[in-house]
C-alpha cells in the first residue's frame, strides 16, 4: 500500500514528508484492536455523503445518516456493535425522540435498519470490510487440543461477535453495501439478494438505487479545498446533488451572470441611442 517501511532512512536531499512521515497505520495505538483515529479522508468523505444524501421519497425530517457511529445490532448482546464509516437510514426521525441528536444507533429500538452502508478501505481493514477473513481466523482453540509444549487447552466458552460483513449481510440485511478505496479509486457495490450479497457491475463507477431514487458514484471535483475523486450522490437526471455551500455559490454565480448580462444590454442600448443622435441620459432619465 505504501512505498516505504518506517522508519525511513534519511537522504540528502531529504524525501518529502509525504514519503517519510509515519501514518496512523504505522504507529501503535493504545487500543490494540484499533489502528487509531480516522485519517482526514475518513472525515471528509462521509461529510460529502451526508450533505448530498437526499432521497426524494422522504422528507428531510425522516432521513438520518451516521459517521463512525456505534451501530448496535443484537438485542441479546447489547454491547456488540460495528462502526461503519458511513450509513444512511430512511423512514426514521432525523432527531432521536424527535428532539435530540443521536449518540448511537440501536436497531432494535429504532425498528429500522440502515438502507445503505459505505466502508472506506484502510490498510489492515480490507479483509474485514470485504468479508475475506477466514472462519479459521475467528475460531477459538477446540477442547482437548494441545499446544506445542503439550499443554491441553480447555474449551473456549466466550462467544465472539460476528464479522462486519456477516452483520451487514446476515443480521441487518442492509440492501446496499458499498466499499471504496481511495488508494485505487475503485468503487465496489454489493446488493442484498436471496439472502446474500451479490456484487454489481459498475461500468461507469455509478449505481442507481431505485428504492431511494438516488444514485451513488465517483465524482472528480473539489470538496473542502481538495480536488480528487469523491464518492457522492446523484439524482434521477444524472446530476450530482449539490451541497448547501455549492448551491449558494451557484446562486451567487447566477446572480453575477444576470448582472453582467443586464450591464451588457444597457451598454448596447446606450450605443444605439448615440448612433441615432439621441442623448442617452435624457432618454434613460426621461
Amino acid at each position: 500500500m505504501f512505498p516505504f517501511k518506517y522508519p525511513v532512512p534519511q537522504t540528502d536531499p531529504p524525501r518529502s514528508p509525504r514519503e517519510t512521515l509515519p501514518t496512523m497505520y504505522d504507529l501503535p495505538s493504545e487500543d490494540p484492536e484499533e489502528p487509531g483515529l480516522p485519517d482526514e479522508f475518513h472525515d471528509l468523505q462521509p461529510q460529502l455523503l451526508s450533505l448530498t444524501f437526499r432521497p426524494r421519497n422522504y422528507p428531510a425530517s425522516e432521513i438520518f445518516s451516521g459517521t463512525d457511529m456505534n451501530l448496535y445490532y443484537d438485542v441479546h448482546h447489547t454491547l456488540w456493535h460495528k462502526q461503519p464509516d458511513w450509513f444512511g437510514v430512511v423512514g426514521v426521525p432525523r432527531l432521536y425522540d424527535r428532539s435530540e441528536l443521536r449518540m448511537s444507533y440501536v436497531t432494535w429500538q429504532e425498528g429500522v435498519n440502515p438502507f445503505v452502508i459505505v466502508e472506506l478501505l484502510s490498510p489492515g481493514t480490507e479483509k474485514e470490510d470485504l468479508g475475506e477473513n477466514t472462519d479459521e481466523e475467528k475460531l477459538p482453540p477446540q477442547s482437548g487440543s494441545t499446544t506445542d509444549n503439550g499443554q491441553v487447552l480447555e474449551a473456549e466458552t466466550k462467544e465472539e461477535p460476528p464479522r462486519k460483513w456477516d452483520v451487514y449481510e446476515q443480521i441487518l440485511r442492509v440492501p446496499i453495501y458499498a466499499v471504496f478505496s481511495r488508494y485505487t479509486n475503485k468503487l465496489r457495490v454489493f446488493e442484498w439478494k436471496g439472502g446474500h450479497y451479490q456484487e454489481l457491475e459498475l461500468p461507469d463507477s455509478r449505481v442507481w438505487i431505485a428504492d431511494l431514487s438516488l444514485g451513488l458514484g465517483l465524482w472528480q471535483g473539489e470538496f473542502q479545498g481538495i480536488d480528487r475523486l469523491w464518492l457522492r450522490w446523484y439524482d434521477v437526471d444524472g446530476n450530482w446533488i449539490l451541497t448547501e455551500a455549492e448551491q449558494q455559490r451557484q446562486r451567487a454565480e447566477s446572480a453575477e451572470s444576470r448582472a453582467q448580462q443586464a450591464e451588457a444590454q444597457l451598454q448596447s442600448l446606450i450605443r444605439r441611442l448615440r448612433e441615432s443622435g439621441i442623448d442617452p441620459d435624457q432618454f434613460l432619465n426621461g
Side-chain angles (χ1 to χ4, degrees), residues 83-231:
Q83 290 182 322
D85 290 322
W86 185 90
F87 66 94
V89 194
V90 292
V92 296
R94 166 68 180 84
L95 299 175
Y96 189 65
D97 292 334
R98 299 187 182 276
S99 61
E100 296 291 339
L101 294 171
R102 288 176 175 81
M103 299 181 67
S104 63
Y105 194 88
V106 184
T107 56
W108 61 86
Q109 290 183 345
E110 301 284 357
V112 180
N113 292 340
F115 194 96
V116 57
I117 286 180
V118 175
E119 293 287 359
L120 307 173
L121 295 185
S122 301
T125 68
E126 185 169 353
K127 287 186 176 181
E128 169 72 7
D129 291 340
L130 294 173
E132 295 176 355
N133 290 335
T134 63
D135 293 339
E136 288 75 11
E137 292 175 344
K138 296 184 64 62
L139 289 177
Q142 296 299 310
S143 176
S145 62
T146 59
T147 63
D148 292 339
N149 62 9
Q151 179 183 2
V152 178
L153 299 177
E154 296 295 331
E156 176 62 61
T157 58
K158 182 180 179 181
E159 191 174 359
E160 295 291 333
R163 304 174 304 172
K164 182 183 296 182
W165 177 280
D166 296 327
V167 170
Y168 298 165
E169 180 189 57
Q170 300 300 323
I171 298 177
L172 297 180
R173 299 182 178 183
V174 179
I176 297 294
Y177 177 41
V179 177
F180 177 58
S181 170
R182 73 183 179 102
Y183 306 105
T184 63
N185 288 324
K186 182 177 181 180
L187 171 65
R188 299 177 66 183
V189 178
F190 303 86
E191 183 179 18
W192 195 89
K193 283 185 177 181
H196 298 282
Y197 277 137
Q198 299 181 19
E199 186 167 5
L200 302 178
E201 293 289 337
L202 306 178
D204 55 355
S205 295
R206 288 191 178 197
V207 59
W208 178 251
I209 306 173
D211 290 338
L212 294 179
S213 294
L214 278 181
L216 183 66
L218 295 183
W219 164 74
Q220 179 72 48
E222 183 177 315
F223 177 66
Q224 297 292 344
I226 307 298
D227 193 332
R228 59 156 290 119
L229 272 176
W230 298 97
L231 194 59

